[in-house]
Amino acid sequence: MKQLNPLSIILFVVVFGALAVVPQFTNDYIVSLLIGLLMYANLATAWGVFCGTTRRVSLATAAFVGVGCYTVALFSETLPWPLVLLLSAVFGGILALLIGLCTLRLSGMYFVIFTFGVAEMIRQLVNWYESNISGSVGRYIFLDVTSAEIYWQLLILFALVLILGAWLSRSRLGFALRLIGEDQVAAGNCGINTVKVRLLVFVGTSMIMSVVGAIIAPRWAYIEPSIAFNALVSFQVLVMALLGGIALYFGPVIGVVPLILAFEVLTKYFPDHFSMVLGAIFLIIVYWLPGGILGLLRRWGAIRG
Protein backbone atom coordinates (compact mmCIF):
# COMPACT_ATOMS: atom_id res chain seq x y z
CA MET A 1 0.00 0.00 0.00
CA LYS A 2 1.32 3.42 -0.97
CA GLN A 3 2.01 5.87 1.84
CA LEU A 4 0.30 9.25 1.78
CA ASN A 5 2.47 12.26 1.10
CA PRO A 6 2.96 14.22 4.37
CA LEU A 7 2.50 17.44 2.40
CA SER A 8 -0.91 16.22 1.24
CA ILE A 9 -1.92 15.49 4.84
CA ILE A 10 -0.84 18.96 5.98
CA LEU A 11 -2.70 20.58 3.08
CA PHE A 12 -5.80 18.52 3.89
CA VAL A 13 -5.77 19.64 7.54
CA VAL A 14 -5.18 23.29 6.64
CA VAL A 15 -7.95 23.39 4.02
CA PHE A 16 -10.54 21.73 6.24
CA GLY A 17 -9.46 23.83 9.20
CA ALA A 18 -10.05 26.96 7.14
CA LEU A 19 -13.41 25.68 5.90
CA ALA A 20 -14.49 24.95 9.47
CA VAL A 21 -14.36 28.62 10.47
CA VAL A 22 -16.12 29.96 7.35
CA PRO A 23 -19.60 30.23 8.99
CA GLN A 24 -18.18 32.62 11.60
CA PHE A 25 -17.11 35.15 8.96
CA THR A 26 -19.84 34.93 6.30
CA ASN A 27 -23.57 35.55 5.98
CA ASP A 28 -26.42 33.05 5.84
CA TYR A 29 -26.54 33.03 2.04
CA ILE A 30 -22.91 31.91 1.72
CA VAL A 31 -23.41 29.24 4.38
CA SER A 32 -26.51 28.01 2.56
CA LEU A 33 -24.58 27.84 -0.71
CA LEU A 34 -21.74 25.93 0.98
CA ILE A 35 -24.24 23.48 2.48
CA GLY A 36 -25.44 22.70 -1.05
CA LEU A 37 -21.85 22.28 -2.21
CA LEU A 38 -20.99 19.92 0.65
CA MET A 39 -24.18 17.94 0.22
CA TYR A 40 -23.43 17.18 -3.41
CA ALA A 41 -19.70 16.80 -2.78
CA ASN A 42 -20.49 13.97 -0.36
CA LEU A 43 -23.05 12.37 -2.67
CA ALA A 44 -20.94 12.65 -5.83
CA THR A 45 -17.80 11.33 -4.14
CA ALA A 46 -19.66 8.37 -2.64
CA TRP A 47 -21.30 7.73 -6.02
CA GLY A 48 -17.94 7.88 -7.79
CA VAL A 49 -16.20 5.50 -5.39
CA PHE A 50 -18.53 2.67 -6.42
CA CYS A 51 -19.99 3.59 -9.81
CA GLY A 52 -16.88 5.21 -11.22
CA THR A 53 -14.72 2.23 -10.32
CA THR A 54 -17.09 -0.57 -11.32
CA ARG A 55 -18.40 1.23 -14.45
CA ARG A 56 -21.98 0.74 -13.23
CA VAL A 57 -24.25 3.77 -13.32
CA SER A 58 -26.64 3.90 -10.37
CA LEU A 59 -29.69 6.17 -10.28
CA ALA A 60 -30.70 5.13 -6.78
CA THR A 61 -29.03 8.06 -5.00
CA ALA A 62 -32.37 9.76 -4.31
CA ALA A 63 -33.67 6.61 -2.63
CA PHE A 64 -30.85 6.60 -0.07
CA VAL A 65 -31.15 10.34 0.55
CA GLY A 66 -34.88 9.88 1.09
CA VAL A 67 -34.31 7.06 3.57
CA GLY A 68 -32.09 9.36 5.60
CA CYS A 69 -34.67 12.16 5.51
CA TYR A 70 -37.52 9.95 6.68
CA THR A 71 -35.37 8.40 9.39
CA VAL A 72 -35.00 11.88 10.86
CA ALA A 73 -38.73 12.58 10.46
CA LEU A 74 -39.63 9.37 12.31
CA PHE A 75 -37.06 9.27 15.10
CA SER A 76 -35.57 12.74 15.66
CA GLU A 77 -38.02 13.65 18.45
CA THR A 78 -37.49 10.47 20.46
CA LEU A 79 -33.84 9.53 19.93
CA PRO A 80 -30.56 11.43 20.36
CA TRP A 81 -29.13 12.87 17.16
CA PRO A 82 -26.06 10.58 16.88
CA LEU A 83 -28.34 7.55 17.12
CA VAL A 84 -30.63 8.99 14.43
CA LEU A 85 -27.62 9.34 12.11
CA LEU A 86 -26.57 5.78 12.91
CA LEU A 87 -30.08 4.51 12.16
CA SER A 88 -30.14 6.36 8.86
CA ALA A 89 -26.89 4.64 7.88
CA VAL A 90 -28.27 1.25 8.94
CA PHE A 91 -31.52 1.67 7.02
CA GLY A 92 -29.65 2.93 3.96
CA GLY A 93 -27.30 -0.05 4.22
CA ILE A 94 -30.20 -2.51 4.44
CA LEU A 95 -31.83 -0.98 1.37
CA ALA A 96 -28.52 -1.08 -0.52
CA LEU A 97 -28.04 -4.71 0.49
CA LEU A 98 -31.44 -5.63 -0.92
CA ILE A 99 -30.84 -3.68 -4.12
CA GLY A 100 -27.34 -5.10 -4.45
CA LEU A 101 -28.42 -8.70 -4.05
CA CYS A 102 -30.94 -8.18 -6.85
CA THR A 103 -28.86 -6.10 -9.24
CA LEU A 104 -25.11 -6.51 -8.86
CA ARG A 105 -25.12 -9.47 -11.23
CA LEU A 106 -26.66 -7.15 -13.82
CA SER A 107 -24.66 -4.78 -15.99
CA GLY A 108 -25.13 -2.01 -18.50
CA MET A 109 -28.57 -0.54 -19.05
CA TYR A 110 -30.25 -3.22 -16.92
CA PHE A 111 -28.48 -2.00 -13.77
CA VAL A 112 -29.31 1.64 -14.59
CA ILE A 113 -32.99 0.94 -15.21
CA PHE A 114 -33.35 -1.26 -12.15
CA THR A 115 -31.81 1.25 -9.76
CA PHE A 116 -33.93 4.08 -11.16
CA GLY A 117 -37.03 1.89 -10.96
CA VAL A 118 -36.34 0.96 -7.36
CA ALA A 119 -35.93 4.62 -6.38
CA GLU A 120 -39.23 5.54 -8.05
CA MET A 121 -41.00 2.53 -6.54
CA ILE A 122 -39.88 3.52 -3.03
CA ARG A 123 -41.08 7.08 -3.61
CA GLN A 124 -44.48 5.86 -4.73
CA LEU A 125 -44.76 3.42 -1.81
CA VAL A 126 -43.95 6.15 0.72
CA ASN A 127 -46.40 8.47 -1.02
CA TRP A 128 -49.13 5.80 -0.83
CA TYR A 129 -48.39 5.11 2.83
CA GLU A 130 -48.47 8.78 3.78
CA SER A 131 -51.73 9.38 1.91
CA ASN A 132 -53.61 6.23 2.89
CA ILE A 133 -52.18 5.09 6.21
CA SER A 134 -50.78 8.09 8.08
CA GLY A 135 -53.34 10.44 6.55
CA SER A 136 -50.91 13.23 5.71
CA VAL A 137 -48.96 14.31 2.65
CA GLY A 138 -45.67 14.97 4.43
CA ARG A 139 -43.98 15.38 7.79
CA TYR A 140 -42.57 18.30 9.74
CA ILE A 141 -39.13 18.12 11.33
CA PHE A 142 -38.89 20.12 14.54
CA LEU A 143 -35.21 20.28 15.38
CA ASP A 144 -33.29 23.23 16.76
CA VAL A 145 -30.38 22.93 14.34
CA THR A 146 -28.68 25.96 12.84
CA SER A 147 -27.34 26.21 9.30
CA ALA A 148 -23.82 26.38 10.69
CA GLU A 149 -24.30 23.08 12.54
CA ILE A 150 -25.59 21.40 9.38
CA TYR A 151 -22.58 22.81 7.52
CA TRP A 152 -20.11 21.46 10.10
CA GLN A 153 -21.71 18.01 10.07
CA LEU A 154 -21.51 17.83 6.28
CA LEU A 155 -17.91 19.09 6.39
CA ILE A 156 -16.89 16.40 8.90
CA LEU A 157 -18.63 13.74 6.82
CA PHE A 158 -16.90 14.99 3.67
CA ALA A 159 -13.51 14.79 5.37
CA LEU A 160 -14.28 11.20 6.40
CA VAL A 161 -15.45 10.34 2.87
CA LEU A 162 -12.21 11.66 1.36
CA ILE A 163 -10.13 9.78 3.94
CA LEU A 164 -12.03 6.57 3.19
CA GLY A 165 -11.63 7.18 -0.53
CA ALA A 166 -7.89 7.68 -0.14
CA TRP A 167 -7.63 4.50 1.92
CA LEU A 168 -9.74 2.51 -0.54
CA SER A 169 -7.66 3.67 -3.51
CA ARG A 170 -4.56 2.22 -1.84
CA SER A 171 -6.07 -0.93 -0.31
CA ARG A 172 -6.48 -4.47 -1.60
CA LEU A 173 -10.23 -3.96 -1.60
CA GLY A 174 -9.83 -0.95 -3.88
CA PHE A 175 -7.48 -2.87 -6.16
CA ALA A 176 -10.02 -5.69 -6.39
CA LEU A 177 -12.77 -3.18 -7.20
CA ARG A 178 -10.70 -1.58 -9.96
CA LEU A 179 -9.88 -4.98 -11.42
CA ILE A 180 -13.57 -5.85 -11.45
CA GLY A 181 -14.28 -2.59 -13.27
CA GLU A 182 -11.65 -3.33 -15.89
CA ASP A 183 -12.52 -6.99 -16.48
CA GLN A 184 -14.96 -8.84 -14.26
CA VAL A 185 -14.14 -12.25 -15.74
CA ALA A 186 -10.41 -11.76 -15.21
CA ALA A 187 -11.07 -10.63 -11.63
CA GLY A 188 -13.07 -13.77 -10.97
CA ASN A 189 -10.31 -15.93 -12.45
CA CYS A 190 -7.86 -14.24 -10.06
CA GLY A 191 -9.88 -15.55 -7.10
CA ILE A 192 -11.77 -12.33 -6.34
CA ASN A 193 -15.33 -12.75 -5.12
CA THR A 194 -16.71 -10.10 -7.46
CA VAL A 195 -20.24 -10.02 -6.04
CA LYS A 196 -19.03 -9.76 -2.44
CA VAL A 197 -16.57 -6.95 -3.19
CA ARG A 198 -19.09 -4.90 -5.16
CA LEU A 199 -21.80 -5.48 -2.57
CA LEU A 200 -19.54 -4.38 0.28
CA VAL A 201 -18.57 -1.10 -1.40
CA PHE A 202 -22.10 -0.45 -2.70
CA VAL A 203 -23.55 -0.82 0.79
CA GLY A 204 -20.84 1.37 2.33
CA THR A 205 -21.26 4.23 -0.13
CA SER A 206 -25.06 4.02 0.11
CA MET A 207 -24.87 4.37 3.89
CA ILE A 208 -22.96 7.62 3.39
CA MET A 209 -25.72 8.89 1.08
CA SER A 210 -28.36 8.12 3.70
CA VAL A 211 -26.41 10.00 6.36
CA VAL A 212 -26.24 12.98 4.00
CA GLY A 213 -30.04 12.85 3.69
CA ALA A 214 -30.37 12.74 7.47
CA ILE A 215 -28.06 15.70 8.03
CA ILE A 216 -29.76 17.84 5.41
CA ALA A 217 -33.35 16.99 6.48
CA PRO A 218 -33.61 19.58 9.33
CA ARG A 219 -32.73 22.30 6.84
CA TRP A 220 -35.90 21.57 4.88
CA ALA A 221 -38.10 21.47 8.03
CA TYR A 222 -40.88 19.85 6.00
CA ILE A 223 -40.49 16.80 3.80
CA GLU A 224 -42.72 14.78 1.54
CA PRO A 225 -41.90 11.99 -0.93
CA SER A 226 -41.42 14.38 -3.86
CA ILE A 227 -38.82 16.29 -1.82
CA ALA A 228 -37.04 13.46 -0.02
CA PHE A 229 -36.98 11.08 -3.00
CA ASN A 230 -36.45 13.70 -5.70
CA ALA A 231 -35.19 11.85 -8.79
CA LEU A 232 -33.46 15.03 -9.96
CA VAL A 233 -30.90 14.52 -7.18
CA SER A 234 -29.82 11.22 -8.76
CA PHE A 235 -29.33 12.82 -12.16
CA GLN A 236 -27.53 15.87 -10.77
CA VAL A 237 -25.09 13.64 -8.86
CA LEU A 238 -24.47 11.64 -12.04
CA VAL A 239 -23.79 14.76 -14.11
CA MET A 240 -21.52 16.27 -11.44
CA ALA A 241 -19.48 13.08 -11.12
CA LEU A 242 -19.07 12.75 -14.88
CA LEU A 243 -18.16 16.42 -15.27
CA GLY A 244 -15.48 16.20 -12.58
CA GLY A 245 -14.17 12.84 -13.72
CA ILE A 246 -14.23 9.43 -12.10
CA ALA A 247 -10.68 8.26 -12.77
CA LEU A 248 -9.66 9.25 -9.23
CA TYR A 249 -11.75 9.08 -6.06
CA PHE A 250 -11.75 12.87 -5.59
CA GLY A 251 -12.59 13.56 -9.25
CA PRO A 252 -16.37 14.00 -8.82
CA VAL A 253 -15.79 16.90 -6.40
CA ILE A 254 -14.26 18.92 -9.25
CA GLY A 255 -17.59 18.85 -11.05
CA VAL A 256 -19.66 19.84 -8.03
CA VAL A 257 -18.48 23.44 -7.64
CA PRO A 258 -19.11 24.75 -11.20
CA LEU A 259 -22.46 22.99 -11.49
CA ILE A 260 -23.75 24.15 -8.09
CA LEU A 261 -22.84 27.72 -9.01
CA ALA A 262 -24.46 27.29 -12.44
CA PHE A 263 -27.60 25.79 -10.88
CA GLU A 264 -27.77 28.68 -8.42
CA VAL A 265 -27.88 31.14 -11.31
CA LEU A 266 -30.33 29.04 -13.32
CA THR A 267 -32.82 28.53 -10.48
CA LYS A 268 -32.77 32.27 -9.79
CA TYR A 269 -33.03 33.67 -13.31
CA PHE A 270 -34.25 30.75 -15.46
CA PRO A 271 -36.28 28.44 -13.18
CA ASP A 272 -38.40 27.07 -16.04
CA HIS A 273 -35.37 25.96 -18.09
CA PHE A 274 -33.41 24.10 -15.41
CA SER A 275 -34.03 20.57 -16.71
CA MET A 276 -33.28 21.63 -20.27
CA VAL A 277 -29.91 23.08 -19.28
CA LEU A 278 -29.10 20.00 -17.18
CA GLY A 279 -29.71 17.81 -20.22
CA ALA A 280 -27.55 20.06 -22.39
CA ILE A 281 -24.71 19.88 -19.86
CA PHE A 282 -24.96 16.09 -19.85
CA LEU A 283 -24.71 15.97 -23.66
CA ILE A 284 -21.69 18.28 -23.64
CA ILE A 285 -19.90 16.07 -21.10
CA VAL A 286 -20.63 12.89 -23.06
CA TYR A 287 -19.49 14.26 -26.42
CA TRP A 288 -16.73 16.73 -25.59
CA LEU A 289 -15.53 15.82 -22.07
CA PRO A 290 -15.79 12.01 -21.85
CA GLY A 291 -13.14 11.94 -19.11
CA GLY A 292 -14.47 15.01 -17.35
CA ILE A 293 -12.40 17.93 -16.14
CA LEU A 294 -10.05 15.48 -14.43
CA GLY A 295 -9.39 13.70 -17.72
CA LEU A 296 -8.70 17.03 -19.40
CA LEU A 297 -6.22 18.01 -16.68
CA ARG A 298 -4.47 14.64 -16.98
CA ARG A 299 -4.13 15.07 -20.74
CA TRP A 300 -2.55 18.47 -20.15
CA GLY A 301 -0.16 16.91 -17.63
CA ALA A 302 -1.53 18.94 -14.69
CA ILE A 303 -2.47 15.76 -12.78
CA ARG A 304 -0.67 12.45 -12.74
CA GLY A 305 -2.11 9.05 -11.92
Side-chain angles (χ1 to χ4, degrees), residues 37-277:
L37 283 169
L38 285 172
M39 171 187 169
Y40 280 101
N42 277 295
L43 293 176
T45 305
W47 185 94
V49 166
F50 174 79
C51 298
T53 309
T54 61
R55 308 294 195 270
R56 280 170 166 76
V57 175
S58 169
L59 291 177
T61 303
F64 301 118
V65 172
V67 166
C69 290
Y70 269 88
T71 301
V72 172
L74 292 171
F75 299 104
S76 61
E77 295 185 23
T78 57
L79 296 176
W81 184 244
L83 187 55
V84 173
L85 294 180
L86 179 61
L87 276 178
S88 68
V90 171
F91 292 151
I94 292 172
L95 176 61
L97 182 63
L98 294 175
I99 294 175
L101 290 174
C102 295
T103 64
L104 289 183
R105 294 183 186 276
L106 301 177
S107 60
M109 71 175 70
Y110 301 104
F111 183 77
V112 179
I113 294 172
F114 193 98
T115 53
F116 179 73
V118 166
E120 282 298 294
M121 181 187 70
I122 293 173
R123 182 173 70 85
Q124 294 297 336
L125 285 174
V126 174
N127 190 51
W128 175 87
Y129 179 87
E130 293 286 63
S131 301
N132 296 279
I133 306 298
S134 67
S136 63
V137 177
R139 296 175 183 267
Y140 289 95
I141 299 174
F142 299 105
L143 284 176
D144 187 17
V145 181
T146 65
S147 295
E149 289 171 339
I150 294 174
Y151 169 83
W152 285 322
Q153 291 178 65
L154 288 172
L155 184 65
I156 292 171
L157 181 62
F158 185 46
L160 293 175
V161 169
L162 288 180
I163 291 171
L164 288 173
W167 169 81
L168 187 64
S169 68
R170 292 166 170 79
S171 68
R172 292 183 178 180
L173 178 62
F175 176 76
L177 198 65
R178 289 192 297 274
L179 185 57
I180 291 170
E182 293 295 331
D183 191 328
Q184 182 177 329
V185 176
N189 291 336
C190 291
I192 296 173
N193 188 329
T194 58
V195 174
K196 182 179 179 181
V197 169
R198 283 180 293 167
L199 189 61
L200 179 62
V201 180
F202 182 63
V203 169
T205 54
S206 301
M207 292 171 72
I208 292 169
M209 295 177 182
S210 292
V211 174
V212 171
I215 293 173
I216 207 72
R219 182 171 178 245
W220 291 331
Y222 172 82
I223 62 168
E224 58 184 43
S226 61
I227 296 173
F229 298 94
N230 187 356
L232 190 59
V233 171
S234 297
F235 288 100
Q236 287 181 183
V237 168
L238 168 63
V239 173
M240 288 173 180
L242 293 180
L243 175 61
I246 54 178
L248 296 174
Y249 70 93
F250 58 81
V253 181
I254 302 173
V256 171
V257 177
L259 283 185
I260 284 292
L261 296 177
F263 293 162
E264 188 73 13
V265 173
L266 287 171
T267 52
K268 183 177 181 179
Y269 297 105
F270 308 100
D272 297 330
H273 302 86
F274 181 85
S275 298
M276 184 186 303
V277 174

